[in-house]
Amino acid sequence: MEFLIERLPRFLDGAWVTVQLTLGGSALAFVLAMVFGIMGTAGHWLPRAVSTVYVEVFRGIAALVLMFWMAYALPVATGFQLDDMFAAILALGLNVGAYGAEVVRSAINAVPRAQVEATVALNLSWFQRMRLVVVPQAWAQMLPTFGNLVIELMKATAVAYLIGVADLAAVAQQLREATGETVVAYSGALVLYYLIAQVLILGMRLLERRANRKLGRATPGGGGPLSLLRPPSVGTRVGVAK
């Protein structure tokens, strides 16, 4: 315990780098997922083809290999050296964004066809249909899977130390090599990774509750804090976002 207390500042510094990698990678993955997921539902074949190429390419490449390519192969091929942190974020975002794009595409396609046809009858533009009817309903369906992807992305940041990023895994490795305290060093990293994951899970639960409230869906367990630990129920009432 004394070992952990003395080295807590180093662990926290590494944890902060891990949080930055998670937030940066998640933001990039979300943007890519929304763009290519919506393109995957387009009526024209060209945007669907572009979306399919992106998804199949980056879903089929290991995040670690992509990270190595960004950090080591890209400078050789182009002469342009990326910052190690940015290279890790870019690799994680591209990889997880490909999975997220399929989530977005599936959720949009799951919106009842009758509601889409009703928006057409109301003479709403494509942008209005997506903003007011389609995306709000799809958003509530995307969130549980998005939560899983964010957790997986956070865990994938543990390999970023292999390209020189001083994240939580790197701190644990350095302390193990410097002190020989293998069990304690990795136990500290394990606890901090777990705590970060719990914060992310809580945040996604809050987003799920908010999305379901906007659609008029029931929230289980009232409004108590313990209800955040339970998955939201799926109601039958749907409509335009408020």
Side-chain angles (χ1 to χ4, degrees):
M1 182 62 69
E2 183 179 348
F3 175 90
L4 291 176
I5 293 175
E6 290 177 354
R7 290 160 178 81
L8 183 59
R10 289 194 62 185
F11 275 114
L12 292 180
D13 288 341
W16 173 237
V17 174
T18 294
V19 169
Q20 292 179 73
L21 288 170
T22 302
L23 295 179
S26 297
L28 177 59
F30 173 75
V31 172
L32 293 173
M34 292 300 294
V35 170
F36 287 99
I38 292 174
M39 287 174 63
T41 65
H44 196 275
W45 69 268
L46 182 57
R48 290 204 311 273
V50 173
S51 175
T52 299
V53 169
Y54 164 72
V55 169
E56 296 303 325
V57 169
F58 287 101
R59 194 169 56 171
I61 300 175
L64 178 58
V65 175
L66 187 58
M67 204 177 292
F68 281 160
W69 196 91
M70 293 289 182
Y72 303 128
L74 184 64
V76 175
T78 66
F80 185 73
Q81 178 70 56
L82 294 176
D83 177 75
D84 291 339
M85 187 89 160
F86 182 73
I89 289 173
L90 189 58
L92 292 169
L94 286 169
N95 181 259
V96 176
Y99 290 94
E102 283 295 278
V103 175
V104 173
R105 184 186 63 81
S106 299
I108 290 177
N109 286 336
V111 175
R113 182 67 183 173
Q115 296 197 27
V116 179
E117 292 173 350
T119 62
V120 175
L122 291 172
N123 201 31
L124 296 181
S125 66
W126 177 87
F127 179 77
Q128 289 175 318
R129 292 199 301 271
M130 297 298 291
R131 183 175 66 88
L132 297 175
V133 178
V134 177
V135 171
Q137 294 183 59
W139 176 246
Q141 297 184 54
M142 297 174 201
L143 281 174
T145 309
F146 271 173
N148 292 335
L149 291 177
V150 169
I151 298 300
E152 290 301 316
L153 188 149
M154 184 274 294
K155 292 189 290 186
T157 63
V159 299
Y161 83 95
L162 294 174
I163 63 170
V165 179
D167 67 338
L168 183 54
V171 169
Q173 178 70 8
Q174 291 165 3
L175 291 177
R176 183 192 72 83
E177 293 174 350
T179 66
E181 296 285 351
T182 302
V183 174
V184 181
Y186 285 125
S187 295
L190 184 149
V191 170
L192 286 174
Y193 273 116
Y194 175 79
L195 292 176
I196 294 171
Q198 295 311 301
V199 172
L200 293 173
I201 290 170
L202 179 61
M204 296 307 297
R205 288 279 185 244
L206 290 171
L207 288 176
E208 289 177 47
R209 286 165 59 90
R210 184 173 183 272
N212 281 294
R213 281 201 304 268
K214 281 183 170 291
L215 294 177
R217 295 173 177 172
T219 302
L226 293 180
S227 64
L228 295 175
L229 303 178
R230 295 189 289 270
S233 61
V234 178
T236 56
R237 180 183 172 189
V238 294
V240 176
K242 297 176 181 178

